[in-house]
Amino acid sequence: MKIIKMLHQRHVLIFLLLLGYYTTALSQSGYGLWLDYKKVSNAAILSQYQKQIQSVYFPGESETLDRAREELELGLNTLLGTRVNFSSTDSNKASLTVAKFDDLTPKTQKKFGKIEIASQGYYIGHDDGNIIITAKEDIGILYGVFNFIRLLQTEQPLENLALLDAPKIDLRILNHWDNLDGTIERGYAGKSLWKWQKLPTYIDQRYIDYARANASVGINGTVLTNVNANAWVLTPSYIEKVAALADTFRPYGIKVYLTARFSAPIEIGGLSTADPLDPKVQQWWKTKVEHIYSKIPDFGGFLVKANSEGQPGPQNYGRTHVDGANMMADALAPHHGVVLWRAFVYSEHDATDRAKQAYAEFVPMDGKFKENVILQVKNGAIDFQPREPFHPIFGAMPKTALAMEFQITQEYLGFSTHLVFLPKLYQEVLQADTYQQGKGSLVAKVIDGSLDNHSISAISGVSNIGSDLNWTGHPFAQANWYGYGRLAWDPYLDSATIAEEWLRSTYSNCENFVAPMTRLLITSREAVVNYMTPLGLHHIMDTDHHYGPGPWVSELPRPEWNPTYYHKADASGIGFDRTKQGSDAISQYADPVAKKFGQLDQVPDKLLLWFHHLPWDYKLSNGHTLWNSIGLHYQKGVDQVREMQKVWAQMTPYVEPLDHKQVSMLLNIQLQEAIWWKDACMSYFHEHSKLPFPKGMEKPKHSLKYYKSLKHPYAPGI
Amino acid sequence: MKIIKMLHQRHVLIFLLLLGYYTTALSQSGYGLWLDYKKVSNAAILSQYQKQIQSVYFPGESETLDRAREELELGLNTLLGTRVNFSSTDSNKASLTVAKFDDLTPKTQKKFGKIEIASQGYYIGHDDGNIIITAKEDIGILYGVFNFIRLLQTEQPLENLALLDAPKIDLRILNHWDNLDGTIERGYAGKSLWKWQKLPTYIDQRYIDYARANASVGINGTVLTNVNANAWVLTPSYIEKVAALADTFRPYGIKVYLTARFSAPIEIGGLSTADPLDPKVQQWWKTKVEHIYSKIPDFGGFLVKANSEGQPGPQNYGRTHVDGANMMADALAPHHGVVLWRAFVYSEHDATDRAKQAYAEFVPMDGKFKENVILQVKNGAIDFQPREPFHPIFGAMPKTALAMEFQITQEYLGFSTHLVFLPKLYQEVLQADTYQQGKGSLVAKVIDGSLDNHSISAISGVSNIGSDLNWTGHPFAQANWYGYGRLAWDPYLDSATIAEEWLRSTYSNCENFVAPMTRLLITSREAVVNYMTPLGLHHIMDTDHHYGPGPWVSELPRPEWNPTYYHKADASGIGFDRTKQGSDAISQYADPVAKKFGQLDQVPDKLLLWFHHLPWDYKLSNGHTLWNSIGLHYQKGVDQVREMQKVWAQMTPYVEPLDHKQVSMLLNIQLQEAIWWKDACMSYFHEHSKLPFPKGMEKPKHSLKYYKSLKHPYAPGI
């Protein structure tokens, strides 16, 4: 800190930092995310970059352009290790020009005139050896800058750049399940980032760094509050606090949204009803929304969980989801706000397969929602399991804008302790073919609006971000935030590409690191499926906290909360029959899909027990019996974690010691828990199958009684 | 991260860090605390240091010595900006020797032979121009090293060093009111540091840095869990987790303690009673303690809140505090563990002045507690108010070891939003004269055991530490952690000295910074008293969360929970009569003290309304009426915050921009809230006094109704 007064330089300080081999965790905390720019390590590439980028012409003024300029200056100075000159007036000497199309020279404008840059998009190209980053809007410039920095971070060549890019989905949103008391439902990385008591006056630096990180991957919306909502956030004093966050995020192109508790007119409005058809209720919401927009002119809108898991909703008044959503939509429409209405509903009064209920409830409503209503659908019909088939609603409501809801926080996938690269899961869903408009009707096309020609499109990811020093608890969980953002920008990206980008930006460009670690990331998702819920098993975790295995749980009051409801293991076999002979959930899919899932010779092994109840001695195509296959999949999951440990052990040359140790310890827990899953589940299933554990499967270490006795009342995230 | 493979140096990496004027918060997060060593900025002093310290002889091996060596290496390398050579074998060339007395050369041993280094202490001196840091025990070496680093950080001369130092209190403990779900009661700096789910396998780097920070100020114990206790922490799986923390802290000389829920034998032991005289209960605790020591051989002991605010205790079974404490003491004694038994009790069934109840309960028990029981007494008889007279128990139980309990977390002093330097408060209490053994019977002497010749002494501070990036929420709240530790080490230290040390270590040695900022820190405590509870007012904050003013609160079920119970404002006047005519609480003090507090011409203004109920027009020695004085004190508090803002505004040359901005924003909140306190309290008292606000007091901005209407159901820390 004394440095500042010593050097008295306004913009750039250079100083020597001497590190002992034992240091504080500061430089290794992971706080910097994928934006912790370091000097390019490859000397040849560095020299090329330094030659290519010596001065920058960056005209224009706005809050967004200022942030873009600062980021580029920080990025270039650190990545190139030299001071790069910036000018906002002199374009002549520039080797890099960053300017909106209107601010380019007439000559360059003419050259680039035919390039159609889409909304929020940018173009990076060359003009006489000068690199040009251009866009129509300020936010396009910011996105272009972040993407250009990524090119340098990942040591890409700058020759022949002709990169035209724009987001394929309009609203790319994080959902924070953050409560007003600072706790986070299903949060495993500390407390909520939002320090409500200190808002609106105190703007935490983290808000700014959060916005930078989001903007760097193109996320442009954030729902600040839990879907299990609290009306209090809609009171004037909280709206003032929300406005302060909105002001902070705005330069980064990020809009704030809130969850709207359906009963708010009663709880904070003094009304006796929240009936959406009651004019007083409609007026209350209209006035409330007007107040919000008076403080936050670009407020995004409301996310609503209604009549689901105890949340209030229109059905409390004998009304429908359409009634509820449209009422809010009417209040928001004059201000261009949207309603994200969640389709995650199931009822304790409905005896049909839980997997069928959301489809049954919502598909008949197709076409009845107002234009600014987006129906937000979880990727699968149950609940963010390690693997689910895509939700049958996708493609089945062509007249309704459908948002994808992915879960980034690992509620069912090992909290912030297990290394699981989720973009692989997201890709599997996005690439699934609904066949609703014939072959090629990918879920991605439903989401981006191209399949059904929607004017608005959206995607949500339930955040894994908290106050932990490294934001996400597990250093590798940062990759899931990053990867969600990248897929929200372009749902057709390959997850391996994303993995590689993130690894290079965060750790090292060395091939001996990037190649094996990309494989590790890509494999990690199948590993967690194997050691938790192989072959289509699902929802067999322990109750409430969802920590660890609990296939034996059968006594919860609502049948569909019990794991036994989902695996249906008995002496005869295991699995949920969702064929015509069973719950017939398959009929909710388009014919080719239903046929594939319904027929034993076509259904993929990985979804086998999701759709079929089969005898223990059923023979899989791999030649093993079902019983043996289950055991061998659990074993494979455990072995895959061991393999991850081996690979990681080789990575010491590329990762700082404390960072390396941290991940090693977490992998140790992951292995312990993978074995726990295998042993507990196989012990339990063995009670039913009575069959010997397959050869090649390590026998459970303890008795079933022991596994059942384990209790974790203070597991995080509840 | 790529740096490592480039340089392939094992111990020290030097690299250029290029910072743009816009950086991530990393280097400015405050994570490094007062240990964020920087190169000495004064060139002349730096050159002296570099000349004086060129090589270090540091023999001996142990976990503690290794940590000391690492810290010294980190400290010297960064502070001196050069690589200093370390040797564990060659003493000849050394200009600095760090060695236990037994490892010194015979010549030095002879020279230093007469210096009596006390337990845990150290000596820093000279031998032929060679600086010597020596101690009898490993931990003394670690303390010596940290104190030597502090000399360099604060740019002290190294000539003529002859520094003999040792802690004056045996057990210097932090009390974490951390719950197993990660929340912290009265915590305003994020979540608990303890990541229970990831323990015992995952050792967070923060645990290590926490231990470093504590050891650097001599804290040697930590109670991990809330006094409102949860028995679950005593189950085997949690003891394993606690053991992992104990293993981490041990090299730093820090023992772990736990809170023991009195009803644990029922809740986790399956017994039907927790009666301390029941042999089964006694055996249960004995077995439990044996299990703990089998995992944690140096476990510190238990902290117990019993029969207080709903916690279970021996009185549930018709037994006494002595019965309860001694039962636990018997279980711990064979393992040299202690019981810290809290004296914070008051009963809803006791109609006498709450301030009298703990004394009345405990003083008759003096002499009845086992030797390893320490009675832990809050600094005042009510509850951590901005100002209280010292607790009358101090000095009144000569046969019982008494621990001081200070609160570092600012439950009643502005959460982590107000800048209040608490060592000034601690000093006031420690320097208070109990007169129990005649003049000079300071509270400090009660605590350090010297007044009554106790063989064990202890002090506790309720932690303000959480998962916030900067540990304590407010950057200046770090000074309270630091200052508590320094006073625990030496309760006779002057708080201004501590303020200066901390400012120099944390920010700058520049006199233009140190002098005004030391004044600011020292004044800050009186400021908060003035704008919250001047002239002996107390406990007039809002209910439950204790956020903001609530003097009007009068309808809580327990009378002594209501602010009106404490200020007793009515048409005739204000204040709590604790003289003989009133509750006679003054009689619990030794005669000279009681006389002073009881007589209007002797009682200090600052405690006036603590002990006396006086008419609004009572004339103070300053010539003002009581009513006017109250108003002018509130105003003064507000003005003092404005003055703090002015001083801070001048500090930009010495503080990094983001750090400076952060504190400026917090001071803005502090001013808003100081005005809120003044306006709300004066509006309320005005309802009783009916007198005009004094000249010089800014009138309240809103009506009393407005202030009463403010609700903060999600204020932090509950």
Side-chain angles (χ1 to χ4, degrees):
Chain A
M1 301 178 189
K2 299 119 209 178
I3 304 296
I4 286 182
K5 65 176 186 277
M6 287 167 60
L7 296 185
H8 280 300
Q9 292 196 347
R10 186 164 161 244
H11 285 295
V12 179
L13 305 171
I14 305 177
F15 62 86
L16 274 170
L17 186 61
L18 200 69
L19 287 176
Y21 70 100
Y22 176 87
T23 72
T24 67
L26 259 185
S27 58
Q28 315 186 37
S29 69
Y31 180 87
L33 296 163
W34 51 91
L35 302 175
D36 200 9
Y37 310 132
K38 300 273 165 56
K39 192 170 168 182
V40 172
S41 63
N42 182 311
I45 293 175
L46 175 63
S47 152
Q48 280 175 14
Y49 286 173
Q50 287 170 335
K51 219 171 109 190
Q52 217 147 4
I53 309 168
Q54 297 184 358
S55 58
V56 180
Y57 170 57
F58 196 147
E61 271 189 25
S62 76
E63 282 208 272
T64 297
L65 291 176
D66 290 349
R67 295 298 92 77
R69 194 181 288 111
E70 288 163 5
E71 194 73 35
L72 186 61
E73 199 167 349
L74 173 69
L76 292 181
N77 287 345
T78 46
L79 284 156
L80 306 194
T82 58
R83 177 81 198 277
V84 176
N85 282 315
F86 274 66
S87 169
S88 60
T89 50
D90 183 5
S91 67
N92 289 327
K93 285 178 294 183
S95 52
L96 170 62
T97 291
V98 186
K100 285 201 287 186
F101 191 81
D102 291 347
D103 292 334
L104 294 174
T105 62
K107 186 174 138 273
T108 311
Q109 280 187 350
K110 198 172 169 196
K111 182 170 177 189
F112 287 2
K114 287 188 183 156
I115 298 167
E116 284 204 30
I117 305 173
S119 173
Q120 302 181 51
Y122 62 88
Y123 178 73
I124 305 179
H126 283 274
D127 181 33
D128 281 345
N130 186 348
I131 299 174
I132 312 283
I133 304 175
T134 189
K136 285 185 186 156
E137 309 146 282
D138 292 357
I139 188 64
I141 292 290
L142 184 67
Y143 290 147
V145 161
F146 271 118
N147 278 280
F148 183 70
I149 291 174
R150 178 180 302 127
L151 295 177
L152 305 183
Q153 281 183 292
T154 56
E155 302 189 354
Q156 303 303 303
L158 300 184
E159 298 88 35
N160 310 317
L161 274 180
L163 183 53
L164 181 65
D165 197 12
K168 296 193 168 58
I169 298 175
D170 300 321
L171 310 181
R172 306 174 297 279
I173 305 176
L174 282 179
N175 291 186
H176 289 267
W177 287 357
D178 291 16
N179 300 312
L180 296 186
D181 66 1
T183 59
I184 306 177
E185 187 169 328
R186 310 308 176 184
Y188 311 103
K191 270 188 109 156
S192 171
L193 293 187
W194 325 131
K195 295 175 189 289
W196 292 112
Q197 183 233 329
K198 288 177 177 160
L199 283 166
T201 307
Y202 180 83
I203 302 300
D204 200 283
Q205 176 62 24
R206 269 210 143 155
Y207 304 154
I208 296 164
D209 291 324
Y210 165 84
R212 286 173 61 223
N214 282 331
S216 79
V217 289
I219 290 169
N220 69 352
T222 178
V223 185
L224 301 175
T225 46
N226 192 354
V227 287
N228 292 320
N230 186 322
W232 202 259
V233 79
L234 301 176
T235 59
S237 74
Y238 272 83
I239 294 301
E240 231 184 297
K241 297 166 188 281
V242 172
L245 289 173
D247 292 344
T248 308
F249 300 156
R250 188 171 298 112
Y252 295 93
I254 297 164
K255 288 185 179 182
V256 300
Y257 300 69
L258 292 173
T259 46
R261 186 161 162 90
F262 203 81
S263 50
I266 302 170
E267 290 156 5
I268 60 166
L271 301 189
S272 57
T273 177
D275 181 348
L277 300 193
D278 185 316
K280 284 196 303 294
V281 173
Q282 294 169 351
Q283 183 58 46
W284 188 88
W285 282 107
K286 196 164 166 279
T287 307
K288 178 57 66 187
V289 166
E290 276 165 7
H291 174 74
I292 294 173
Y293 278 92
S294 74
K295 302 290 178 182
I296 311 165
D298 58 350
F299 180 68
F302 291 140
L303 170 64
V304 187
K305 174 177 181 177
N307 292 122
S308 167
E309 297 182 322
Q311 291 297 301
Q315 294 174 347
N316 297 34
Y317 306 94
R319 314 301 183 187
T320 67
H321 286 287
V322 171
D323 296 329
N326 286 352
M327 173 201 59
M328 289 195 182
D330 283 340
L332 288 158
H335 313 279
H336 313 291
V338 299
V339 178
L340 293 153
W341 193 268
R342 288 176 99 230
F344 179 65
V345 299
Y346 59 98
S347 167
E348 66 269 45
H349 308 301
D350 189 340
T352 58
D353 180 1
R354 170 173 161 185
K356 292 175 68 177
Q357 296 182 26
Y359 179 102
E361 176 95 33
F362 281 98
V363 170
M365 297 174 183
D366 191 28
K368 295 182 181 162
F369 290 104
K370 301 265 175 171
E371 269 201 15
N372 59 333
V373 174
I374 303 168
L375 192 66
Q376 181 164 308
V377 185
K378 289 189 183 185
N379 60 273
I382 296 297
D383 193 6
F384 298 137
Q385 296 302 295
R387 168 167 284 127
E388 299 193 33
F390 70 87
H391 202 302
I393 286 182
F394 292 120
M397 295 183 70
K399 296 178 197 150
T400 308
L402 297 183
M404 170 66 74
E405 179 175 315
F406 282 131
Q407 194 178 42
I408 312 173
T409 190
Q410 293 170 236
E411 175 179 357
Y412 298 101
L413 290 100
F415 293 3
S416 61
T417 320
H418 294 209
L419 193 168
V420 183
F421 184 65
L422 293 175
K424 179 78 177 159
L425 184 165
Y426 306 153
Q427 183 184 12
E428 181 176 292
V429 178
L430 291 165
Q431 291 300 317
D433 195 339
T434 70
Y435 278 89
Q436 292 284 5
Q437 316 260 357
K439 189 167 164 53
S441 303
L442 305 186
V443 170
K445 290 188 180 176
V446 176
I447 298 312
D448 71 13
S450 62
L451 189 68
D452 305 304
N453 262 316
H454 285 291
S455 60
I456 192 165
S457 58
I459 185 166
S460 281
V462 181
S463 156
N464 64 347
I465 302 164
S467 65
D468 270 6
L469 220 55
N470 69 7
W471 302 82
T472 54
H474 198 306
F476 276 73
Q478 294 180 357
N480 295 331
W481 177 8
Y482 179 92
Y484 163 73
R486 296 289 288 139
L487 282 167
W489 179 275
D490 182 353
Y492 304 93
L493 276 178
D494 182 52
S495 57
T497 307
I498 296 170
E500 187 176 329
E501 271 180 19
W502 179 80
L503 287 165
R504 288 177 182 272
S505 303
T506 307
Y507 290 105
S508 166
N509 279 287
C510 202
E511 285 308 324
N512 290 339
F513 174 81
V514 174
M517 285 304 297
T518 301
R519 280 196 299 274
L520 183 152
L521 259 60
I522 290 302
T523 314
S524 63
R525 189 282 180 113
E526 205 59 37
V528 75
V529 171
N530 285 332
Y531 65 70
M532 284 188 181
T533 53
L535 292 166
L537 288 171
H538 52 286
H539 208 289
I540 58 174
M541 64 289 159
D542 206 356
T543 304
D544 291 338
H545 47 63
H546 301 166
Y547 178 56
W552 46 79
V553 176
S554 61
E555 291 172 358
L556 300 176
R558 290 177 63 165
E560 79 285 5
W561 282 353
N562 288 300
T564 51
Y565 172 93
Y566 296 96
H567 63 66
K568 300 202 190 298
D570 57 24
S572 73
I574 185 169
F576 198 127
D577 186 356
R578 292 190 166 106
T579 67
K580 284 195 198 328
Q581 289 72 46
S583 79
D584 199 25
I586 56 161
S587 69
Q588 292 182 339
Y589 289 99
D591 279 350
V593 179
K595 200 174 157 199
K596 180 175 154 194
F597 289 161
Q599 296 187 357
L600 279 173
D601 58 345
Q602 286 189 42
V603 64
D605 283 355
K606 62 185 182 181
L607 292 174
L608 188 64
L609 303 177
W610 189 284
F611 290 111
H612 301 273
H613 186 85
L614 296 168
W616 296 108
D617 61 357
Y618 173 80
K619 272 274 177 64
L620 271 73
S621 56
N622 63 19
H624 289 293
T625 64
L626 176 57
W627 166 250
N628 283 354
S629 281
I630 295 174
L632 293 172
H633 270 86
Y634 273 108
Q635 185 64 48
K636 186 171 183 190
V638 169
D639 293 341
Q640 284 170 312
V641 178
R642 290 190 178 121
E643 179 61 25
M644 285 159 71
Q645 288 183 308
K646 270 188 212 154
V647 172
W648 185 248
Q650 304 300 313
M651 297 301 130
T652 47
Y654 316 108
V655 181
E656 293 201 42
L658 283 186
D659 282 346
H660 192 273
K661 192 179 164 202
Q662 209 171 29
V663 174
S664 296
M665 291 187 287
L666 290 165
L667 285 169
N668 287 343
I669 300 178
Q670 187 169 0
L671 178 61
Q672 291 159 20
E673 296 192 353
I675 294 170
W676 173 28
W677 269 92
K678 166 178 76 67
D679 289 356
C681 292
M682 288 304 291
S683 297
Y684 170 75
F685 293 138
H686 172 75
E687 292 276 297
H688 294 292
S689 79
K690 311 284 187 196
L691 293 167
F693 297 114
K695 204 179 144 189
M697 191 202 107
E698 296 159 10
K699 289 199 176 51
K701 289 183 188 160
H702 301 279
S703 68
L704 177 59
K705 195 179 156 196
Y706 167 83
Y707 295 111
K708 284 184 172 179
S709 78
L710 298 176
K711 297 282 171 266
H712 304 91
Y714 303 101
I718 313 183
Chain B
M1 301 180 190
K2 300 122 208 172
I3 305 293
I4 287 183
K5 67 175 186 278
M6 288 168 62
L7 297 185
H8 280 302
Q9 292 194 345
R10 187 165 160 243
H11 285 293
V12 178
L13 304 171
I14 304 177
F15 62 86
L16 275 170
L17 186 61
L18 201 69
L19 286 178
Y21 69 100
Y22 177 86
T23 73
T24 68
L26 258 185
S27 58
Q28 315 186 37
S29 70
Y31 179 87
L33 297 165
W34 51 90
L35 302 175
D36 201 8
Y37 310 132
K38 300 275 163 59
K39 192 170 169 182
V40 171
S41 62
N42 181 311
I45 294 175
L46 175 62
S47 154
Q48 280 174 14
Y49 286 173
Q50 287 170 336
K51 220 172 109 191
Q52 218 148 3
I53 309 167
Q54 297 185 359
S55 58
V56 180
Y57 170 57
F58 196 147
E61 272 190 18
S62 75
E63 282 208 272
T64 298
L65 292 177
D66 290 348
R67 295 297 93 76
R69 194 181 289 110
E70 288 164 5
E71 194 73 36
L72 186 61
E73 199 167 349
L74 173 68
L76 293 180
N77 288 345
T78 47
L79 284 157
L80 307 193
T82 57
R83 177 82 197 278
V84 176
N85 282 314
F86 274 65
S87 168
S88 59
T89 51
D90 184 4
S91 66
N92 289 328
K93 285 177 292 182
S95 51
L96 170 62
T97 292
V98 186
K100 284 201 287 185
F101 191 83
D102 292 346
D103 293 333
L104 295 174
T105 61
K107 188 174 137 274
T108 311
Q109 280 187 351
K110 201 173 166 194
K111 183 171 175 186
F112 287 2
K114 286 187 184 155
I115 298 166
E116 284 205 31
I117 306 174
S119 172
Q120 302 182 51
Y122 61 89
Y123 178 73
I124 305 179
H126 283 273
D127 181 32
D128 283 345
N130 185 348
I131 299 173
I132 312 283
I133 304 175
T134 188
K136 285 185 185 155
E137 307 147 283
D138 292 357
I139 188 64
I141 292 291
L142 183 67
Y143 291 147
V145 161
F146 272 117
N147 278 280
F148 183 71
I149 290 174
R150 179 181 302 127
L151 295 177
L152 306 183
Q153 281 183 290
T154 56
E155 301 189 355
Q156 303 303 303
L158 300 184
E159 299 88 34
N160 310 317
L161 275 179
L163 183 54
L164 182 65
D165 196 13
K168 296 193 168 58
I169 298 174
D170 300 321
L171 310 181
R172 306 174 296 279
I173 305 175
L174 282 179
N175 291 186
H176 290 267
W177 287 358
D178 291 16
N179 300 313
L180 296 187
D181 66 1
T183 59
I184 305 178
E185 187 169 328
R186 309 310 176 182
Y188 312 103
K191 268 189 110 158
S192 172
L193 293 187
W194 325 131
K195 297 176 188 288
W196 291 113
Q197 184 233 328
K198 287 177 178 161
L199 284 166
T201 307
Y202 179 83
I203 302 300
D204 199 284
Q205 176 61 23
R206 269 212 141 155
Y207 305 154
I208 297 164
D209 291 324
Y210 165 85
R212 287 174 61 223
N214 282 331
S216 78
V217 289
I219 290 168
N220 70 352
T222 178
V223 186
L224 301 175
T225 46
N226 192 353
V227 288
N228 291 321
N230 187 322
W232 202 260
V233 79
L234 301 176
T235 59
S237 74
Y238 272 83
I239 294 302
E240 233 184 297
K241 295 167 189 283
V242 173
L245 289 173
D247 292 343
T248 308
F249 301 155
R250 188 171 297 111
Y252 295 94
I254 297 164
K255 288 184 179 182
V256 300
Y257 299 69
L258 292 173
T259 46
R261 187 162 163 90
F262 203 81
S263 50
I266 301 170
E267 290 156 5
I268 60 167
L271 300 190
S272 57
T273 177
D275 181 348
L277 300 193
D278 186 313
K280 285 196 303 294
V281 173
Q282 294 169 351
Q283 184 57 46
W284 187 88
W285 283 107
K286 199 165 164 280
T287 307
K288 178 56 67 187
V289 165
E290 277 164 6
H291 173 75
I292 294 173
Y293 279 91
S294 74
K295 303 289 178 183
I296 311 166
D298 59 350
F299 179 67
F302 291 141
L303 170 64
V304 187
K305 175 177 181 176
N307 293 122
S308 168
E309 299 183 322
Q311 292 296 300
Q315 295 174 346
N316 297 33
Y317 306 95
R319 314 300 183 188
T320 68
H321 286 287
V322 172
D323 296 329
N326 285 353
M327 173 202 58
M328 288 194 183
D330 283 341
L332 288 158
H335 312 279
H336 313 291
V338 299
V339 178
L340 293 153
W341 193 269
R342 288 177 97 229
F344 179 65
V345 300
Y346 59 98
S347 166
E348 66 269 45
H349 307 301
D350 189 340
T352 59
D353 181 0
R354 169 173 161 186
K356 293 176 68 178
Q357 296 182 27
Y359 180 102
E361 177 96 33
F362 281 98
V363 169
M365 297 174 183
D366 191 28
K368 295 183 182 162
F369 289 104
K370 302 264 176 173
E371 270 200 15
N372 59 333
V373 174
I374 303 169
L375 193 65
Q376 181 163 309
V377 184
K378 290 189 183 186
N379 60 273
I382 297 297
D383 194 6
F384 298 137
Q385 296 301 296
R387 169 166 284 126
E388 298 193 34
F390 71 87
H391 202 300
I393 286 182
F394 292 120
M397 294 183 71
K399 296 177 197 150
T400 307
L402 298 182
M404 170 66 74
E405 179 175 314
F406 283 131
Q407 195 177 43
I408 313 173
T409 190
Q410 294 171 234
E411 175 180 358
Y412 298 101
L413 291 100
F415 293 4
S416 61
T417 320
H418 294 210
L419 193 167
V420 183
F421 183 65
L422 293 174
K424 181 77 177 160
L425 184 165
Y426 306 153
Q427 182 183 13
E428 181 175 293
V429 178
L430 291 164
Q431 290 300 316
D433 195 339
T434 71
Y435 279 87
Q436 292 284 3
Q437 315 260 358
K439 189 168 162 54
S441 302
L442 305 186
V443 171
K445 290 187 179 177
V446 176
I447 299 311
D448 72 12
S450 62
L451 189 68
D452 305 305
N453 263 315
H454 285 290
S455 61
I456 191 165
S457 57
I459 185 166
S460 280
V462 181
S463 156
N464 64 346
I465 303 163
S467 65
D468 270 6
L469 218 55
N470 69 6
W471 302 83
T472 55
H474 198 306
F476 276 72
Q478 294 181 355
N480 295 331
W481 176 10
Y482 179 91
Y484 163 74
R486 296 289 287 138
L487 282 167
W489 178 275
D490 181 354
Y492 303 93
L493 276 179
D494 182 54
S495 57
T497 308
I498 296 171
E500 188 176 328
E501 271 180 19
W502 179 81
L503 286 165
R504 288 177 181 274
S505 303
T506 307
Y507 289 105
S508 167
N509 279 286
C510 202
E511 286 307 323
N512 291 338
F513 174 81
V514 174
M517 285 303 297
T518 301
R519 280 195 300 275
L520 183 152
L521 260 60
I522 290 302
T523 314
S524 64
R525 189 280 180 116
E526 205 60 36
V528 75
V529 172
N530 284 333
Y531 65 69
M532 283 188 181
T533 53
L535 293 166
L537 288 171
H538 52 286
H539 208 289
I540 58 174
M541 63 288 160
D542 206 355
T543 304
D544 291 338
H545 47 62
H546 301 165
Y547 178 57
W552 46 79
V553 175
S554 62
E555 290 172 359
L556 301 175
R558 290 177 63 165
E560 77 284 4
W561 282 354
N562 288 301
T564 51
Y565 172 93
Y566 296 96
H567 62 67
K568 301 201 189 298
D570 56 24
S572 74
I574 185 170
F576 198 127
D577 185 357
R578 293 191 166 107
T579 66
K580 283 193 201 329
Q581 289 72 45
S583 78
D584 198 26
I586 56 159
S587 68
Q588 292 182 339
Y589 290 98
D591 280 350
V593 180
K595 201 174 156 199
K596 182 177 155 193
F597 289 162
Q599 297 187 356
L600 279 174
D601 58 344
Q602 287 190 40
V603 64
D605 283 355
K606 62 186 183 182
L607 292 175
L608 189 64
L609 303 177
W610 189 284
F611 290 112
H612 301 274
H613 186 86
L614 296 168
W616 295 108
D617 61 357
Y618 173 80
K619 273 270 174 66
L620 270 74
S621 56
N622 61 20
H624 289 294
T625 64
L626 176 59
W627 166 249
N628 283 353
S629 282
I630 294 175
L632 293 172
H633 271 86
Y634 274 109
Q635 184 63 48
K636 187 171 182 190
V638 169
D639 293 341
Q640 284 171 311
V641 178
R642 289 190 179 123
E643 179 61 26
M644 285 159 70
Q645 288 183 309
K646 270 187 212 155
V647 172
W648 184 249
Q650 304 300 314
M651 298 301 130
T652 47
Y654 317 107
V655 181
E656 292 202 42
L658 283 186
D659 282 346
H660 192 273
K661 192 179 164 201
Q662 207 171 30
V663 174
S664 296
M665 291 186 286
L666 291 166
L667 284 169
N668 287 342
I669 300 179
Q670 188 169 359
L671 179 61
Q672 292 159 19
E673 297 192 353
I675 294 171
W676 173 29
W677 269 92
K678 166 178 75 69
D679 290 354
C681 291
M682 287 305 290
S683 297
Y684 169 75
F685 293 138
H686 172 74
E687 292 276 298
H688 294 292
S689 79
K690 311 283 186 197
L691 293 167
F693 295 114
K695 205 178 143 189
M697 191 201 106
E698 296 159 8
K699 290 201 175 52
K701 290 184 189 158
H702 302 279
S703 67
L704 177 59
K705 193 177 156 197
Y706 167 83
Y707 295 112
K708 284 184 173 179
S709 78
L710 298 175
K711 296 282 170 266
H712 304 91
Y714 303 102
I718 314 186

